[in-house]
């Protein structure tokens, strides 16, 4: 199984400042079809997960452009350019290249300092 | 708009069974593969099972293989998860999530979840 490792696991951020979350996979996530199936999800307190980013860097409809995804191979990053209060929650990366199973990172908790 | 509504959770004793449902609306369920994902209290996300759009292919996580069965009734716009021989460690919020046929790793919409508590 592909192991997804996120860092940091806790990220206190000042409002208006940038934030960055790393996600590394135990093997390359490049699929034989040429795509890299790496998603990012946001889970606000008391809510279900919401997809933010798919295939590394594609932002979902309605997701603010302060969120961006990047990376390749086995090394990926989610960046928030300027953290807002509504960004508080836990962020998960998930690989969908080598399945089953589909595997998630441990989650990174973003909170306001 | 797209909606996924889970139900069927509750408190159940170890060794007993429970069936979860996920009703889809706002889209054509038969065009989508469907996943179950669970989250134990205070923990991260764990993929549980998937079923192809037409029900022909199913996969399970190792922790539930042989005990859980995923199924669907596209005519009723409903996904199911039959959970047998429940254990304490199955206690979790269970979410359904969809993926368009041909791109089984989408997980683009999730339901609000249904809570299963296994306790004597």
């Amino acid at each position: 199984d592909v192991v997804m490792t996120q860092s940091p696991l806790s990220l206190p951020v000042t409002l208006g400042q940038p934030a960055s979350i790393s996600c590394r996979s135990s093997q390359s996530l490049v699929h034989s079809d040429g795509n890299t199936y790496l998603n990012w999800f946001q889970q606000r307190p008391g809510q279900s997960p919401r997809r933010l980013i798919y295939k590394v860097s594609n932002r979902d409809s309605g997701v603010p452009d302060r969120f961006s995804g990047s990376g390749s191979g086995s090394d990926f990053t989610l960046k928030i350019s300027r953290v807002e209060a509504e960004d508080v929650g836990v962020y998960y990366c998930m690989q969908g290249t080598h399945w089953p199973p589909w595997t998630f990172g441990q989650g990174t908790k973003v909170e306001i300092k | 708009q797209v909606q996924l509504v889970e139900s069927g959770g509750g408190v159940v004793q170890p060794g007993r069974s429970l069936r979860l449902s996920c009703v889809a609306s706002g889209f054509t369920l038969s065009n989508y593969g469907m996943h179950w994902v669970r989250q134990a209290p205070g923990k991260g996300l764990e993929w549980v099972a998937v079923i192809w759009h037409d029900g022909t292919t199913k996969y399970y996580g190792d922790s539930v293989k042989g005990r859980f069965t995923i199924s669907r009734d596209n005519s009723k716009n409903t996904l199911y998860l039959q959970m047998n021989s429940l254990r304490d460690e199955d206690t979790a919020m269970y979410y359904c999530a969809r993926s368009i046929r041909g791109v089984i790793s989408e997980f683009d919409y999730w339901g609000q979840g249904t809570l299963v508590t296994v306790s004597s």
Side-chain angles (χ1 to χ4, degrees):
Chain A
D1 298 356
V2 176
V3 176
M4 305 298 290
T5 303
Q6 290 182 227
S7 62
L9 299 185
S10 177
L11 185 55
V13 188
T14 300
L15 286 173
Q17 292 301 302
S20 180
I21 301 170
S22 171
C23 174
R24 290 192 167 92
S25 55
S26 58
Q27 58 185 279
S28 172
L29 298 186
V30 179
H31 194 275
S32 56
D33 67 6
N35 290 306
T36 299
Y37 295 98
L38 185 285
N39 295 340
W40 287 97
F41 299 92
Q42 174 195 60
Q43 188 174 32
R44 290 171 171 152
Q47 295 188 12
S48 56
R50 166 200 182 195
R51 195 180 72 176
L52 297 177
I53 302 285
Y54 62 97
K55 287 193 286 185
V56 181
S57 60
N58 296 275
R59 200 180 309 116
D60 271 279
S61 174
V63 174
D65 60 8
R66 64 180 181 273
F67 289 93
S68 63
S70 63
S72 62
S74 59
D75 197 352
F76 306 94
T77 302
L78 176 71
K79 291 183 179 175
I80 310 173
S81 59
R82 293 173 306 280
V83 172
E84 297 189 6
E86 66 177 18
D87 300 335
V88 165
V90 181
Y91 293 78
Y92 296 92
C93 60
M94 184 212 82
Q95 71 84 20
T97 296
H98 304 290
W99 49 260
W102 286 259
T103 49
F104 295 86
Q106 317 97 300
T108 294
K109 186 174 185 179
V110 172
E111 58 184 12
I112 305 301
K113 277 183 187 174
Chain B
Q1 75 278 25
V2 173
Q3 271 202 306
L4 295 167
V5 179
E6 301 93 334
S7 62
V11 180
V12 61
Q13 293 179 326
R16 303 298 290 264
S17 299
L18 209 57
R19 188 176 82 156
L20 306 184
S21 299
C22 167
V23 176
S25 60
F27 67 100
T28 302
L29 185 63
S30 59
N31 287 338
Y32 288 81
M34 295 296 295
H35 298 264
W36 286 101
V37 177
R38 70 184 181 182
Q39 185 172 37
K43 302 296 184 182
L45 301 170
E46 179 190 14
W47 174 79
V48 172
V50 65
I51 185 168
W52 255 230
H53 66 283
D54 56 3
T56 55
T57 300
K58 305 172 186 180
Y59 293 107
Y60 300 91
D62 286 345
S63 60
V64 307
K65 204 173 294 182
R67 300 187 299 122
F68 289 12
T69 301
I70 189 171
S71 63
R72 63 193 296 157
D73 186 338
N74 287 339
S75 67
K76 294 182 178 179
N77 294 318
T78 305
L79 170 75
Y80 302 101
L81 185 67
Q82 177 67 43
M83 305 186 296
N84 298 333
S85 304
L86 282 161
R87 305 168 178 168
D88 290 352
E89 55 265 33
D90 295 319
T91 294
M93 185 72 79
Y94 285 74
Y95 300 100
C96 58
R98 73 170 199 178
S99 288
I100 188 73
R101 60 187 291 184
V103 189
I104 197 62
S105 301
E106 272 210 323
F107 293 78
D108 65 341
Y109 278 92
W110 297 55
Q112 87 291 345
T114 186
L115 182 62
V116 173
T117 303
V118 183
S119 173
S120 52

